[in-house]
Amino acid sequence: ATDGASLDIVRILLNLGVIVNARDEMGETALVKARQKLAFFDMKGGEGYRDLYLEMIALLEKAGATD
């Protein structure tokens, strides 16, 4: 969901009780991936995506996500 920039999917997964600190095959959490995307869009001038990832990060952190 973080790779696909979908706030709706993130919300659905959080509501279903997904393990927010689960790691993918590269050892990264959703929070780490969202922060990486935010940094990328900060550099590329993608203001719309920047706001989306800021909201996504806030949702993940509120749900207890850590690095």
Side-chain angles (χ1 to χ4, degrees):
T2 54
D3 281 339
S6 177
L7 276 174
D8 289 335
I9 298 298
V10 169
R11 285 186 184 107
I12 289 168
L13 291 171
L14 291 174
N15 286 333
L16 290 172
V18 70
I19 300 169
V20 294
N21 291 312
R23 296 183 180 274
D24 66 8
E25 64 279 352
M26 300 297 291
E28 297 174 331
T29 64
L31 182 59
V32 168
K33 286 180 166 283
R35 286 181 176 161
Q36 289 171 347
K37 293 282 189 167
L38 176 62
F40 174 78
F41 287 112
D42 274 348
M43 291 188 301
K44 296 290 182 183
E47 291 81 13
Y49 282 105
R50 183 181 185 283
D51 293 342
L52 182 145
Y53 279 103
L54 284 171
E55 187 173 347
M56 189 179 294
I57 289 166
L59 286 172
L60 291 167
E61 288 175 340
K62 184 178 178 183
T66 58
D67 288 345

